[in-house]
Coordinates of all heavy atoms in Angstrom, one line a residue:
M1 N -36.3 13.1 -36.2 CA -35.0 13.3 -35.4 C -33.8 12.9 -36.3 O -33.8 11.8 -36.9 CB -35.0 12.5 -34.1 CG -35.7 13.4 -33.0 SD -35.5 12.7 -31.4 CE -33.9 12.1 -31.2
G2 N -32.9 13.8 -36.4 CA -31.7 13.5 -37.2 C -30.6 12.9 -36.4 O -30.7 12.6 -35.2
V3 N -29.4 12.7 -37.0 CA -28.2 12.1 -36.3 C -27.7 13.3 -35.4 O -27.5 14.4 -35.9 CB -27.2 11.7 -37.2 CG1 -26.0 11.1 -36.5 CG2 -27.8 10.5 -38.1
R4 N -27.4 13.0 -34.1 CA -26.8 14.0 -33.3 C -25.3 14.0 -33.4 O -24.6 13.1 -33.2 CB -27.2 13.7 -31.8 CG -28.4 14.4 -31.3 CD -28.4 14.5 -29.8 NE -29.8 14.6 -29.3 CZ -30.1 14.6 -28.1 NH1 -29.2 14.4 -27.2 NH2 -31.3 14.7 -27.7
L5 N -24.8 15.2 -33.8 CA -23.4 15.4 -33.9 C -22.8 16.1 -32.6 O -23.6 16.8 -32.0 CB -23.0 16.3 -35.1 CG -23.3 15.7 -36.5 CD1 -23.1 16.8 -37.5 CD2 -22.4 14.5 -36.8
P6 N -21.6 15.8 -32.3 CA -21.0 16.5 -31.1 C -20.8 17.9 -31.4 O -20.8 18.3 -32.6 CB -19.7 15.7 -30.9 CG -19.4 15.1 -32.2 CD -20.7 14.8 -32.9
P7 N -20.7 18.8 -30.4 CA -20.5 20.2 -30.7 C -19.2 20.4 -31.5 O -18.3 19.5 -31.5 CB -20.3 20.8 -29.3 CG -20.2 19.7 -28.4 CD -20.7 18.5 -29.0
P8 N -19.1 21.5 -32.4 CA -17.9 21.7 -33.3 C -16.6 21.6 -32.6 O -15.6 21.0 -33.1 CB -18.2 23.0 -33.9 CG -19.6 23.3 -33.7 CD -20.0 22.6 -32.5
E9 N -16.5 22.2 -31.4 CA -15.2 22.1 -30.7 C -14.7 20.7 -30.4 O -13.6 20.3 -30.5 CB -15.3 22.8 -29.3 CG -16.0 24.1 -29.3 CD -17.5 23.9 -29.1 OE1 -17.9 23.4 -28.1 OE2 -18.3 24.3 -30.1
Q10 N -15.7 19.8 -30.1 CA -15.4 18.4 -29.8 C -14.9 17.7 -31.0 O -13.9 17.0 -31.0 CB -16.7 17.8 -29.3 CG -16.5 16.3 -29.0 CD -15.5 16.1 -27.8 OE1 -15.6 16.7 -26.8 NE2 -14.5 15.2 -28.0
R11 N -15.5 18.0 -32.2 CA -15.1 17.4 -33.5 C -13.6 17.8 -33.8 O -12.9 17.0 -34.3 CB -16.0 17.8 -34.6 CG -17.2 16.8 -34.7 CD -18.2 17.2 -35.7 NE -19.1 18.2 -35.2 CZ -19.9 19.0 -36.0 NH1 -19.7 19.0 -37.3 NH2 -20.7 19.8 -35.4
I12 N -13.3 19.1 -33.6 CA -12.0 19.6 -33.9 C -10.9 18.9 -33.1 O -9.9 18.4 -33.5 CB -11.9 21.1 -33.8 CG1 -12.7 21.8 -34.9 CG2 -10.4 21.6 -33.7 CD1 -12.9 23.3 -34.6
T13 N -11.2 18.7 -31.8 CA -10.3 18.0 -30.9 C -10.1 16.5 -31.4 O -9.0 16.0 -31.4 CB -10.9 17.9 -29.5 OG1 -11.3 19.2 -29.1 CG2 -9.9 17.3 -28.5
D14 N -11.2 15.9 -31.9 CA -11.1 14.5 -32.3 C -10.2 14.5 -33.6 O -9.4 13.5 -33.7 CB -12.5 14.0 -32.8 CG -13.3 13.7 -31.5 OD1 -12.8 13.7 -30.4 OD2 -14.6 13.5 -31.7
V15 N -10.3 15.5 -34.5 CA -9.4 15.5 -35.7 C -8.0 15.6 -35.2 O -7.1 14.8 -35.8 CB -9.8 16.7 -36.6 CG1 -8.7 16.8 -37.7 CG2 -11.2 16.4 -37.2
F16 N -7.7 16.5 -34.3 CA -6.3 16.6 -33.8 C -5.8 15.3 -33.2 O -4.7 14.9 -33.4 CB -6.1 17.8 -32.9 CG -6.0 19.1 -33.6 CD1 -7.0 20.1 -33.4 CD2 -4.9 19.4 -34.4 CE1 -6.9 21.3 -34.1 CE2 -4.8 20.6 -35.0 CZ -5.8 21.5 -34.9
Q17 N -6.7 14.7 -32.4 CA -6.3 13.4 -31.8 C -6.0 12.4 -32.8 O -5.0 11.6 -32.8 CB -7.4 13.0 -30.8 CG -7.1 11.8 -30.0 CD -5.9 12.0 -29.1 OE1 -5.8 13.0 -28.4 NE2 -4.9 11.2 -29.2
W18 N -6.9 12.3 -33.9 CA -6.7 11.4 -35.0 C -5.4 11.6 -35.7 O -4.6 10.7 -36.0 CB -7.9 11.5 -35.9 CG -7.8 10.7 -37.2 CD1 -8.1 9.4 -37.3 CD2 -7.4 11.2 -38.5 NE1 -7.9 9.0 -38.6 CE2 -7.5 10.0 -39.4 CE3 -7.0 12.4 -39.0 CZ2 -7.1 10.1 -40.7 CZ3 -6.7 12.5 -40.3 CH2 -6.8 11.4 -41.2
L19 N -5.0 12.9 -35.9 CA -3.8 13.2 -36.6 C -2.6 12.8 -35.7 O -1.6 12.2 -36.2 CB -3.7 14.7 -36.8 CG -4.3 15.2 -38.1 CD1 -4.3 16.8 -38.2 CD2 -3.6 14.6 -39.3
R20 N -2.7 13.0 -34.4 CA -1.6 12.6 -33.5 C -1.4 11.1 -33.6 O -0.2 10.7 -33.6 CB -1.9 13.1 -32.1 CG -1.3 14.4 -31.7 CD -1.3 14.6 -30.2 NE -2.6 14.7 -29.6 CZ -3.2 15.9 -29.5 NH1 -2.7 17.0 -29.9 NH2 -4.5 15.9 -29.1
N21 N -2.5 10.4 -33.5 CA -2.3 8.9 -33.6 C -1.7 8.4 -34.9 O -1.0 7.5 -35.0 CB -3.7 8.3 -33.4 CG -4.2 8.5 -32.0 OD1 -3.5 8.7 -31.1 ND2 -5.5 8.3 -31.8
L22 N -2.1 9.2 -36.0 CA -1.6 8.9 -37.3 C -0.1 9.1 -37.4 O 0.6 8.3 -38.0 CB -2.3 9.7 -38.4 CG -2.3 9.3 -39.8 CD1 -3.2 8.0 -39.9 CD2 -2.8 10.4 -40.7
L23 N 0.4 10.2 -36.8 CA 1.8 10.6 -36.9 C 2.7 9.8 -35.9 O 3.9 9.6 -36.2 CB 2.0 12.1 -36.6 CG 1.3 13.0 -37.7 CD1 1.4 14.5 -37.2 CD2 2.1 12.9 -39.0
K24 N 2.2 9.4 -34.8 CA 3.0 8.8 -33.8 C 3.8 7.6 -34.2 O 5.1 7.6 -34.0 CB 2.1 8.4 -32.6 CG 2.9 8.4 -31.3 CD 2.0 8.1 -30.1 CE 2.8 8.0 -28.8 NZ 1.9 7.6 -27.7
P25 N 3.2 6.6 -34.8 CA 4.1 5.4 -35.2 C 5.1 5.7 -36.2 O 6.2 5.2 -36.2 CB 3.0 4.4 -35.8 CG 1.7 4.9 -35.4 CD 1.8 6.4 -35.2
K26 N 4.9 6.7 -37.1 CA 5.8 7.1 -38.1 C 7.1 7.7 -37.5 O 8.2 7.4 -37.9 CB 5.2 8.1 -39.1 CG 4.4 7.4 -40.2 CD 3.9 8.5 -41.2 CE 2.9 7.8 -42.1 NZ 2.2 8.8 -43.0
Q27 N 6.9 8.6 -36.5 CA 8.0 9.2 -35.8 C 8.9 8.1 -35.2 O 10.1 8.2 -35.2 CB 7.5 10.2 -34.7 CG 6.9 11.4 -35.3 CD 6.3 12.3 -34.3 OE1 6.0 11.9 -33.2 NE2 6.1 13.6 -34.5
Q28 N 8.3 7.1 -34.6 CA 9.0 6.1 -33.9 C 9.8 5.3 -35.0 O 11.0 4.9 -34.7 CB 8.1 5.1 -33.2 CG 7.6 5.9 -31.9 CD 6.5 5.1 -31.2 OE1 5.9 4.2 -31.7 NE2 6.2 5.4 -30.0
T29 N 9.2 5.0 -36.1 CA 9.9 4.3 -37.2 C 11.2 5.0 -37.7 O 12.1 4.3 -38.0 CB 9.0 4.0 -38.4 OG1 7.7 3.6 -37.9 CG2 9.5 3.1 -39.4
F30 N 11.2 6.3 -37.6 CA 12.3 7.0 -38.2 C 13.4 7.3 -37.2 O 14.4 7.9 -37.5 CB 11.9 8.4 -38.8 CG 11.2 8.2 -40.1 CD1 9.9 8.4 -40.3 CD2 12.0 7.9 -41.2 CE1 9.3 8.2 -41.6 CE2 11.4 7.7 -42.5 CZ 10.0 7.9 -42.6
T31 N 13.3 6.8 -36.0 CA 14.3 6.9 -35.0 C 15.6 6.1 -35.4 O 15.5 5.0 -35.7 CB 13.8 6.4 -33.6 OG1 12.7 7.1 -33.2 CG2 14.9 6.6 -32.6
R32 N 16.7 6.8 -35.4 CA 18.0 6.1 -35.8 C 19.0 6.4 -34.6 O 19.0 7.5 -34.1 CB 18.5 6.7 -37.1 CG 17.7 6.3 -38.3 CD 17.9 5.0 -38.8 NE 17.2 4.7 -40.0 CZ 15.9 4.2 -40.0 NH1 15.3 3.9 -38.8 NH2 15.3 3.9 -41.1
V33 N 19.7 5.3 -34.2 CA 20.7 5.5 -33.2 C 22.0 4.8 -33.7 O 21.9 3.7 -34.2 CB 20.3 4.7 -31.9 CG1 21.4 4.8 -30.9 CG2 19.0 5.4 -31.3
Y34 N 23.0 5.6 -33.7 CA 24.3 5.1 -34.3 C 25.3 4.9 -33.1 O 25.5 5.7 -32.2 CB 24.9 6.2 -35.3 CG 24.0 6.3 -36.5 CD1 23.0 7.3 -36.5 CD2 24.2 5.5 -37.5 CE1 22.2 7.4 -37.6 CE2 23.3 5.6 -38.7 CZ 22.3 6.5 -38.7 OH 21.5 6.7 -39.8
C35 N 26.0 3.7 -33.2 CA 27.0 3.4 -32.3 C 28.1 4.4 -32.3 O 28.7 4.7 -33.4 CB 27.6 2.0 -32.6 SG 29.0 1.5 -31.5
P36 N 28.5 5.0 -31.1 CA 29.5 6.1 -31.1 C 30.9 5.5 -31.4 O 31.8 6.2 -31.8 CB 29.5 6.6 -29.7 CG 28.2 6.1 -29.1 CD 27.8 4.9 -29.8
Q37 N 31.1 4.2 -31.3 CA 32.4 3.5 -31.6 C 32.6 3.2 -33.0 O 33.7 3.5 -33.6 CB 32.5 2.2 -30.7 CG 32.4 2.5 -29.3 CD 33.4 3.5 -28.7 OE1 32.9 4.5 -28.2 NE2 34.6 3.3 -29.0
C38 N 31.6 2.6 -33.7 CA 31.8 2.1 -35.1 C 30.8 2.7 -36.0 O 30.8 2.3 -37.2 CB 31.8 0.6 -35.1 SG 30.2 -0.1 -34.7
N39 N 29.8 3.5 -35.6 CA 28.8 4.1 -36.4 C 27.8 3.1 -37.0 O 27.0 3.5 -37.9 CB 29.5 4.9 -37.6 CG 28.8 6.2 -37.9 OD1 28.2 6.8 -37.0 ND2 28.9 6.6 -39.1
N40 N 27.7 1.9 -36.4 CA 26.7 1.0 -36.8 C 25.3 1.5 -36.4 O 25.1 2.0 -35.3 CB 27.0 -0.4 -36.1 CG 26.1 -1.5 -36.4 OD1 25.5 -1.5 -37.5 ND2 25.9 -2.4 -35.6
E41 N 24.3 1.3 -37.3 CA 23.0 1.8 -36.9 C 22.3 0.7 -36.1 O 22.1 -0.4 -36.5 CB 22.2 2.0 -38.2 CG 21.0 3.0 -38.0 CD 19.9 2.5 -37.2 OE1 19.3 1.5 -37.5 OE2 19.7 3.1 -36.1
L42 N 22.0 1.0 -34.8 CA 21.6 0.1 -33.8 C 20.2 -0.4 -33.9 O 19.9 -1.6 -33.5 CB 22.0 0.6 -32.4 CG 23.4 1.0 -32.2 CD1 23.6 1.7 -30.8 CD2 24.3 -0.2 -32.2
V43 N 19.3 0.5 -34.3 CA 17.9 0.1 -34.2 C 17.5 -0.9 -35.2 O 16.7 -1.8 -34.9 CB 17.0 1.4 -34.4 CG1 15.5 1.1 -34.4 CG2 17.3 2.4 -33.3
T44 N 18.1 -0.8 -36.4 CA 17.7 -1.8 -37.5 C 18.7 -2.9 -37.6 O 18.4 -3.9 -38.3 CB 17.6 -1.0 -38.9 OG1 18.8 -0.4 -39.1 CG2 16.5 0.0 -38.9
D45 N 19.8 -2.9 -37.0 CA 20.8 -4.0 -37.1 C 20.3 -5.2 -36.3 O 20.1 -5.1 -35.1 CB 22.1 -3.5 -36.4 CG 23.2 -4.6 -36.5 OD1 23.1 -5.5 -37.4 OD2 24.1 -4.5 -35.7
E46 N 20.2 -6.3 -37.0 CA 19.7 -7.5 -36.4 C 20.6 -8.2 -35.4 O 20.2 -8.9 -34.5 CB 19.3 -8.5 -37.5 CG 18.1 -8.1 -38.3 CD 17.7 -9.1 -39.4 OE1 18.3 -10.2 -39.4 OE2 16.8 -8.8 -40.2
A47 N 21.9 -7.9 -35.5 CA 22.9 -8.5 -34.6 C 22.9 -7.7 -33.3 O 23.5 -8.2 -32.3 CB 24.3 -8.5 -35.3
T48 N 22.4 -6.5 -33.3 CA 22.4 -5.6 -32.1 C 21.3 -6.1 -31.1 O 20.2 -6.3 -31.6 CB 22.3 -4.2 -32.5 OG1 23.4 -3.8 -33.2 CG2 22.2 -3.3 -31.2
T49 N 21.6 -6.2 -29.9 CA 20.6 -6.5 -28.9 C 20.4 -5.3 -28.0 O 21.3 -4.5 -27.8 CB 21.0 -7.7 -28.1 OG1 22.2 -7.5 -27.4 CG2 21.1 -9.0 -28.9
F50 N 19.3 -5.3 -27.3 CA 19.0 -4.2 -26.4 C 18.2 -4.7 -25.2 O 17.5 -5.8 -25.3 CB 18.3 -3.0 -27.0 CG 16.9 -3.2 -27.4 CD1 15.9 -2.9 -26.5 CD2 16.6 -3.8 -28.6 CE1 14.6 -3.1 -26.9 CE2 15.3 -4.1 -28.9 CZ 14.2 -3.7 -28.1
K51 N 18.3 -4.0 -24.1 CA 17.4 -4.3 -22.9 C 17.1 -3.1 -22.2 O 17.8 -2.1 -22.3 CB 18.1 -5.4 -22.0 CG 19.3 -4.8 -21.3 CD 19.9 -5.9 -20.4 CE 21.1 -5.3 -19.6 NZ 21.7 -6.3 -18.7
H52 N 16.0 -3.1 -21.5 CA 15.6 -1.9 -20.7 C 16.3 -2.0 -19.3 O 16.4 -3.0 -18.7 CB 14.1 -1.9 -20.5 CG 13.4 -1.6 -21.8 ND1 13.2 -0.3 -22.3 CD2 12.9 -2.5 -22.7 CE1 12.5 -0.4 -23.4 NE2 12.4 -1.7 -23.8
T53 N 16.9 -0.8 -18.9 CA 17.5 -0.7 -17.6 C 16.5 -0.4 -16.5 O 15.4 0.0 -16.8 CB 18.6 0.4 -17.6 OG1 17.9 1.6 -17.7 CG2 19.6 0.3 -18.8
P54 N 16.8 -0.7 -15.3 CA 15.8 -0.4 -14.2 C 15.4 1.0 -14.1 O 14.3 1.4 -13.6 CB 16.6 -0.8 -12.9 CG 17.7 -1.8 -13.4 CD 18.0 -1.3 -14.8
E55 N 16.3 2.0 -14.6 CA 15.9 3.4 -14.6 C 15.0 3.8 -15.7 O 14.6 4.9 -15.8 CB 17.2 4.3 -14.6 CG 18.3 3.9 -13.7 CD 19.4 3.1 -14.5 OE1 19.1 2.0 -14.9 OE2 20.5 3.7 -14.6
G56 N 14.7 2.9 -16.6 CA 13.8 3.2 -17.7 C 14.5 3.6 -19.0 O 13.9 4.1 -19.9
F57 N 15.8 3.4 -19.0 CA 16.6 3.7 -20.2 C 16.7 2.4 -21.1 O 16.3 1.4 -20.7 CB 17.9 4.3 -19.9 CG 17.8 5.6 -19.0 CD1 18.5 5.7 -17.9 CD2 17.0 6.6 -19.5 CE1 18.4 6.8 -17.1 CE2 16.9 7.8 -18.7 CZ 17.6 7.9 -17.5
V58 N 17.4 2.6 -22.2 CA 17.6 1.4 -23.1 C 19.1 1.2 -23.2 O 19.9 2.1 -23.6 CB 17.0 1.6 -24.5 CG1 17.3 0.4 -25.4 CG2 15.5 1.8 -24.4
Q59 N 19.5 -0.1 -22.9 CA 21.0 -0.4 -23.1 C 21.2 -1.2 -24.4 O 20.6 -2.3 -24.6 CB 21.4 -1.2 -21.9 CG 22.9 -1.6 -22.0 CD 23.2 -2.6 -20.9 OE1 22.8 -2.5 -19.7 NE2 24.1 -3.6 -21.2
Y60 N 22.0 -0.7 -25.3 CA 22.3 -1.4 -26.6 C 23.6 -2.1 -26.5 O 24.6 -1.5 -26.0 CB 22.3 -0.3 -27.7 CG 21.0 -0.1 -28.3 CD1 20.3 1.1 -28.1 CD2 20.4 -1.0 -29.2 CE1 19.0 1.3 -28.6 CE2 19.1 -0.8 -29.7 CZ 18.4 0.4 -29.5 OH 17.2 0.6 -30.0
D61 N 23.7 -3.3 -27.1 CA 24.9 -4.0 -27.2 C 25.2 -4.1 -28.7 O 24.5 -4.9 -29.4 CB 24.8 -5.4 -26.6 CG 26.1 -6.2 -26.6 OD1 27.0 -5.8 -27.4 OD2 26.2 -7.1 -25.8
C62 N 26.1 -3.3 -29.2 CA 26.3 -3.1 -30.6 C 26.7 -4.5 -31.3 O 27.6 -5.2 -30.8 CB 27.5 -2.1 -30.9 SG 27.9 -2.0 -32.6
G63 N 26.0 -4.9 -32.3 CA 26.2 -6.2 -33.0 C 27.5 -6.2 -33.8 O 27.9 -7.3 -34.2
K64 N 28.1 -5.0 -34.0 CA 29.3 -5.0 -34.8 C 30.6 -5.0 -33.9 O 31.5 -5.8 -34.1 CB 29.3 -3.8 -35.7 CG 30.1 -3.9 -37.0 CD 29.6 -2.7 -37.9 CE 30.6 -2.4 -38.9 NZ 30.3 -1.2 -39.7
C65 N 30.7 -4.0 -33.0 CA 31.9 -3.8 -32.1 C 31.6 -4.3 -30.7 O 32.5 -4.3 -29.9 CB 32.4 -2.4 -32.2 SG 31.4 -1.3 -31.3
H66 N 30.4 -4.6 -30.3 CA 30.0 -5.0 -29.0 C 30.2 -4.0 -27.9 O 30.3 -4.4 -26.7 CB 30.6 -6.4 -28.6 CG 30.2 -7.5 -29.6 ND1 28.9 -8.0 -29.5 CD2 30.8 -8.1 -30.6 CE1 28.8 -8.9 -30.5 NE2 29.9 -8.9 -31.2
A67 N 30.3 -2.7 -28.3 CA 30.3 -1.7 -27.2 C 28.9 -1.6 -26.7 O 27.9 -1.7 -27.4 CB 30.7 -0.3 -27.9
Q68 N 28.8 -1.3 -25.4 CA 27.5 -1.2 -24.7 C 27.3 0.2 -24.3 O 28.1 0.8 -23.6 CB 27.4 -2.1 -23.5 CG 27.5 -3.6 -23.9 CD 27.4 -4.5 -22.7 OE1 27.8 -4.2 -21.6 NE2 27.0 -5.8 -22.9
H69 N 26.1 0.8 -24.7 CA 25.8 2.2 -24.3 C 24.4 2.2 -23.8 O 23.5 1.4 -24.2 CB 25.9 3.0 -25.6 CG 27.3 3.2 -26.1 ND1 27.8 2.3 -27.0 CD2 28.3 4.0 -25.8 CE1 29.1 2.7 -27.3 NE2 29.4 3.7 -26.6
V70 N 24.2 3.2 -22.9 CA 22.8 3.4 -22.4 C 22.2 4.7 -23.0 O 22.9 5.7 -23.0 CB 22.8 3.5 -20.9 CG1 21.4 3.8 -20.3 CG2 23.3 2.2 -20.2
W71 N 21.0 4.6 -23.5 CA 20.3 5.7 -24.2 C 19.0 6.0 -23.5 O 18.3 5.2 -23.0 CB 20.0 5.3 -25.7 CG 21.2 5.0 -26.5 CD1 21.9 3.8 -26.5 CD2 21.9 5.9 -27.4 NE1 22.9 3.9 -27.4 CE2 23.0 5.2 -28.0 CE3 21.6 7.2 -27.8 CZ2 23.8 5.8 -28.9 CZ3 22.5 7.8 -28.8 CH2 23.6 7.1 -29.3
D72 N 18.7 7.3 -23.6 CA 17.4 7.8 -23.1 C 16.5 8.1 -24.3 O 16.8 9.1 -25.1 CB 17.6 9.1 -22.3 CG 16.3 9.7 -21.7 OD1 15.3 9.0 -21.9 OD2 16.4 10.7 -21.1
F73 N 15.5 7.3 -24.5 CA 14.5 7.5 -25.6 C 13.4 8.4 -25.3 O 12.5 8.6 -26.1 CB 14.1 6.1 -26.1 CG 15.0 5.5 -27.0 CD1 16.1 4.8 -26.6 CD2 14.9 5.6 -28.4 CE1 17.0 4.2 -27.5 CE2 15.7 5.0 -29.3 CZ 16.8 4.3 -28.8
D74 N 13.3 8.8 -24.0 CA 12.1 9.7 -23.7 C 12.4 11.2 -24.0 O 11.5 12.0 -24.0 CB 11.8 9.6 -22.2 CG 11.2 8.3 -21.9 OD1 10.5 7.7 -22.8 OD2 11.4 7.8 -20.8
A75 N 13.7 11.5 -24.4 CA 14.0 12.9 -24.8 C 13.5 13.1 -26.3 O 13.2 12.1 -26.9 CB 15.5 13.1 -24.7
P76 N 13.4 14.3 -26.7 CA 13.0 14.6 -28.1 C 13.8 13.8 -29.1 O 13.3 13.4 -30.2 CB 13.1 16.1 -28.3 CG 13.0 16.6 -26.9 CD 13.6 15.6 -26.0
V77 N 15.1 13.7 -28.9 CA 15.9 12.9 -29.7 C 16.6 11.9 -28.8 O 16.8 12.2 -27.6 CB 17.1 13.7 -30.5 CG1 16.4 14.5 -31.6 CG2 17.9 14.5 -29.5
P78 N 17.0 10.6 -29.2 CA 17.7 9.7 -28.3 C 19.0 10.3 -27.8 O 19.8 10.8 -28.5 CB 17.9 8.5 -29.2 CG 16.9 8.6 -30.3 CD 16.8 10.1 -30.6
L79 N 19.1 10.2 -26.5 CA 20.4 10.8 -25.9 C 21.3 9.7 -25.3 O 20.8 8.8 -24.7 CB 20.0 11.7 -24.6 CG 19.3 13.0 -24.9 CD1 19.0 13.7 -23.6 CD2 20.1 13.9 -25.8
L80 N 22.5 9.8 -25.7 CA 23.6 8.8 -25.2 C 23.9 9.3 -23.8 O 24.3 10.4 -23.5 CB 24.8 8.9 -26.1 CG 26.0 8.0 -25.6 CD1 25.6 6.6 -25.5 CD2 27.2 8.2 -26.5
L81 N 23.7 8.4 -22.8 CA 23.9 8.7 -21.4 C 25.3 8.2 -21.0 O 26.0 9.0 -20.3 CB 22.9 8.1 -20.5 CG 21.4 8.6 -20.8 CD1 20.5 7.8 -19.8 CD2 21.3 10.1 -20.6
R82 N 25.7 7.0 -21.3 CA 27.0 6.5 -20.8 C 27.4 5.3 -21.6 O 26.6 4.5 -22.1 CB 27.0 6.2 -19.3 CG 26.0 5.2 -18.9 CD 26.0 4.9 -17.4 NE 24.9 4.0 -17.0 CZ 23.7 4.4 -16.6 NH1 23.4 5.7 -16.6 NH2 22.8 3.5 -16.3
R83 N 28.7 5.0 -21.6 CA 29.3 3.8 -22.1 C 29.6 2.8 -21.0 O 30.1 3.3 -20.0 CB 30.5 4.1 -22.9 CG 31.1 2.9 -23.7 CD 32.2 3.2 -24.5 NE 32.7 1.9 -25.1 CZ 33.8 1.7 -25.7 NH1 34.6 2.7 -26.0 NH2 34.2 0.5 -26.2
L84 N 29.3 1.5 -21.2 CA 29.5 0.5 -20.1 C 30.8 -0.2 -20.3 O 31.2 -0.8 -19.3 CB 28.3 -0.4 -20.1 CG 26.9 0.3 -19.8 CD1 25.8 -0.7 -19.9 CD2 26.9 1.0 -18.5
N85 N 31.4 -0.3 -21.4 CA 32.6 -1.1 -21.5 C 33.6 -0.4 -22.4 O 33.4 0.6 -22.9 CB 32.2 -2.5 -22.2 CG 31.6 -2.4 -23.6 OD1 31.3 -1.3 -24.0 ND2 31.4 -3.5 -24.2
Ligands
ZN1 ZN1 29.6 -0.5 -32.5

């Protein structure tokens, strides 16, 4: 008795799943969000803080000009929804 392999269709699905898992973290790493007021890059700026809103969006407090904006990260690209101050 040899080693039992899954049917070919199953193996192809596994490869696609493996590729998706491989690509997912990279896509998140390349997300960039720029402050509409001062053009500060908010995701990598250590002075910038963020919190999740009750609606499931992300509220950024710009570390440079302290403008507060709410972003939707579930869209294909981050969407600016509103300014708070
Ligand atoms: Zn700013």
Side-chain angles (χ1 to χ4, degrees):
M1 273 190 42
V3 178
R4 266 202 205 171
L5 291 171
E9 316 85 63
Q10 181 62 49
R11 270 177 277 160
I12 288 165
T13 308
D14 288 347
V15 168
F16 277 115
Q17 187 60 51
W18 174 78
L19 273 173
R20 263 197 292 273
N21 291 341
L22 200 70
L23 291 172
K24 207 176 173 185
K26 281 185 185 170
Q27 288 174 338
Q28 288 170 345
T29 310
F30 282 108
T31 302
R32 293 280 182 271
V33 177
Y34 294 92
C35 174
Q37 300 307 119
C38 70
N39 221 28
N40 184 25
E41 206 292 299
L42 302 174
V43 176
T44 55
D45 179 26
E46 287 180 9
T48 295
T49 58
F50 71 93
K51 67 178 182 183
H52 293 274
T53 69
E55 312 102 294
F57 302 127
V58 178
Q59 179 188 323
Y60 273 103
D61 186 340
C62 176
K64 209 168 158 186
C65 74
H66 297 287
Q68 293 179 336
H69 296 89
V70 176
W71 297 81
D72 179 4
F73 275 83
D74 289 331
V77 292
L79 289 181
L80 174 62
L81 297 180
R82 60 180 174 269
R83 185 175 176 189
L84 299 177
N85 60 353

